[in-house]
Amino acid sequence: MQQSVKNESLFSQGRTAACIGGIALISLLAFESIAVAAAMPAVAAALGGLDFYAIAFGGTLATSVVGMTLGGEICDRYGAARSAWLGLAAFIAGLLAAGAASDIYMLVLGRLMQGLGSGLLGVAIYVGMSRAVPPALHPKLFAMFAGAWVVPALIGPGIAAGLVHIFGWRAVFLTVAALAPVAGALLLPALSRQEAPAGSAKPMRWPRLGWSLLAACGALALHGGSHLPQTQYMLPALAAGFAFAFFAARRLLPAGSLRAAEGLPSVVAMRGLIAAAFFASEAFIPLILTTRYHWSLGSAGLALTASALMWSMGSATQARLHGETARRRGLTLGFAAMAAGLSSALAAAALSLHAGWVVAGWAVTGLGIGLSFPMLSVLTMKLSRPDEQGSNASALQLSDALSSSIALALAGMLIHALSRPSAPPDALPILAMSALLALIGAWVSPRAFPRGTAKQADGADLPVRHQH
């Protein structure tokens, strides 16, 4: 029986439409993020909003924190379907508002709504699909979710550039708004058929939403503060942002997450470390290739393509690892590969070696995050009681968003502090910071597997007690 479950496909027993819908929605969320980044220079030029360039991205990240928290509460009390409906509605409304914006203020409002919707929708997809798919298939499920980011990473910038060139920048937002209901129609019926969660009788924890708002304010302060031109304004904004984010994180994340306690807290902490290490450095790899090696933007994009392909390979590899020992080693190896790749790229750029070594180092970094990132999603579901899967899934993504905000703010501070007049910004310290974060993740990784776990017949690990 266990062997048959292991060999079972994700696309069976009535799950085909739900799996296709979930993957399609994640791909749309990924495409929206990548395509908007590619199209935003044209948007800012058309609306005259260069001063609002940063908040158009930071605001989306900030409101996603609120959406993640609200989505976790709704999933645990009312089911994933309600969170998905609300998230899809807010996401589409934000896309339509941005696509129809007549000024930069309307665009920013649309982006804020998009962030709220993507937070609600992201948690609903992870929780709903985790409940729809047997636990033995979770590694394959989250590998497919990770892979759903690869295709948008490969073709998103090109499609966005084509849409802007042919139809104008509004087409980027409106195209995603037109496709989102189609993907939702595949997923939502399956989520609506799920039974009410075990914690449905519990009241909503409204104070958590208040803390998520504080975290959102902290994220906005961090993103805005790192772009302020004068230090006397930058430092107070960053200090306030760090304080807000720290105190909110203590309330929103599982107890012990900030010190990476054994079990679920360390999983949440590692998600923050891996996200901060990868996404803080990703933005600066093209900068290094264009400023130090004088590559064109198109050529520099090959490094991101190589990393995306290796991420997909790493995700597929971790899905084939069975048993606690193999997955424990795989998780540690993923973080170690990230640290090695980032260090290699740093050394190659610092020593002025051939640019191919920088690309190779970033590709190894992609392999490392591909190995580790899906494992953390699997472990979160495994270490969560059914009535806490929603809040813990939102905590995982909250850790991602907050840590990325802090890392990007630090990157902005370093670039500002180390920049010299009439010289390109030096991004090498960003790679050094990211490599250090990946090394810390490798050191913490054994704590993700609690001592005293029971073995299932299929080799999966079942926690004896829930740690929260």
Side-chain angles (χ1 to χ4, degrees):
M1 178 67 178
Q2 295 290 345
Q3 187 66 27
S4 64
V5 172
K6 219 185 254 191
N7 295 332
E8 187 182 348
S9 170
L10 283 171
F11 301 91
S12 63
Q13 296 185 359
R15 294 191 296 264
T16 301
C19 287
I20 293 175
I23 292 169
L25 280 173
I26 289 178
S27 297
L28 278 177
L29 291 173
F31 173 78
E32 181 269 340
S33 175
I34 294 166
V36 169
M40 190 56 71
V43 177
L47 299 179
L50 289 175
D51 291 340
F52 290 85
Y53 195 94
I55 199 171
F57 293 100
T60 304
L61 182 64
T63 53
S64 73
V65 171
V66 181
M68 292 169 192
T69 305
L70 180 59
E73 292 293 302
I74 292 174
C75 285
D76 286 341
R77 277 132 190 92
Y78 305 107
R82 187 174 298 189
S83 179
W85 276 107
L86 291 173
L88 195 62
F91 184 61
I92 294 173
L95 289 166
L96 293 175
S102 58
D103 54 45
I104 194 66
Y105 304 104
M106 185 69 172
L107 178 84
V108 170
L109 177 61
R111 295 286 289 158
L112 294 176
M113 293 178 67
Q114 285 173 243
L116 178 65
S118 65
L120 282 160
L121 196 54
V123 172
I125 294 171
Y126 275 76
V127 174
M129 291 306 300
S130 296
R131 292 170 179 171
V133 171
L137 294 177
H138 282 179
K140 292 183 179 179
L141 174 69
F142 289 113
M144 292 191 69
F145 282 174
W149 281 82
V150 174
V151 174
L154 295 176
I155 66 175
I159 293 177
L163 289 172
V164 172
H165 178 71
I166 299 173
F167 301 107
W169 62 265
R170 300 180 191 276
V172 174
F173 297 98
L174 298 179
T175 299
V176 179
L179 294 174
V182 179
L186 294 171
L187 176 65
L188 288 168
L191 300 187
S192 299
R193 290 193 295 268
Q194 292 180 353
E195 296 180 0
S200 57
K202 297 179 181 179
M204 291 278 287
R205 293 179 293 181
W206 295 109
R208 281 182 60 83
L209 294 179
W211 286 109
S212 73
L213 288 171
L214 182 65
C217 292
L220 283 173
L222 288 170
H223 276 269
S226 64
H227 290 83
L228 290 176
Q230 298 183 15
T231 304
Q232 63 263 36
Y233 300 125
M234 178 191 295
L235 293 181
L238 291 174
F242 279 121
F244 290 170
F246 175 79
F247 287 110
R250 290 191 63 185
R251 295 286 184 171
L252 293 171
L253 303 181
S257 295
L258 297 182
R259 55 184 174 84
E262 185 182 86
L264 181 65
S266 68
V267 174
V268 173
M270 281 189 291
R271 177 62 172 262
L273 288 170
I274 199 171
F278 186 85
F279 295 112
S281 53
E282 183 185 42
F284 296 97
I285 290 295
L287 181 65
I288 290 173
L289 292 173
T290 54
T291 57
R292 286 181 170 265
Y293 295 96
H294 308 291
W295 281 23
S296 67
L297 283 175
S299 298
L302 294 176
L304 304 184
T305 300
S307 178
L309 291 173
M310 295 298 283
W311 184 329
S312 180
M313 183 182 297
S315 297
T317 300
Q318 69 81 34
R320 294 180 173 86
L321 299 179
H322 301 290
E324 179 183 336
T325 301
R327 295 190 69 77
R328 184 197 300 265
R329 290 174 179 171
L331 183 62
T332 303
L333 180 61
F335 276 97
M338 285 189 65
L342 288 164
S343 299
S344 298
L346 171 64
L351 297 174
S352 299
L353 302 180
H354 191 277
W357 289 109
V358 177
V359 176
W362 187 241
V364 173
T365 306
L367 176 66
I369 193 172
L371 274 171
S372 302
F373 205 83
M375 283 195 188
L376 298 176
S377 299
V378 174
L379 282 167
T380 299
M381 294 297 105
K382 187 176 294 185
L383 296 173
S384 301
R385 295 197 304 262
D387 62 328
E388 291 187 339
Q389 287 180 338
S391 58
N392 290 342
S394 72
L396 196 72
Q397 297 183 38
L398 281 166
S399 179
D400 185 324
L402 289 175
S403 298
S404 297
S405 293
I406 293 172
L408 286 168
L410 287 173
M413 287 175 56
L414 288 172
I415 291 291
H416 181 81
L418 300 176
S419 61
R420 291 172 296 174
S422 68
D426 189 0
L428 296 189
I430 313 303
L431 297 187
M433 177 188 73
S434 298
L436 177 60
L437 292 175
L439 279 175
I440 295 173
W443 175 65
V444 171
S445 61
R447 305 183 190 180
F449 297 84
R451 291 184 294 271
T453 56
K455 297 284 186 176
Q456 290 179 306
D458 64 352
D461 314 308
L462 185 66
V464 173
R465 64 185 181 89
H466 175 73
Q467 299 202 11
H468 192 263

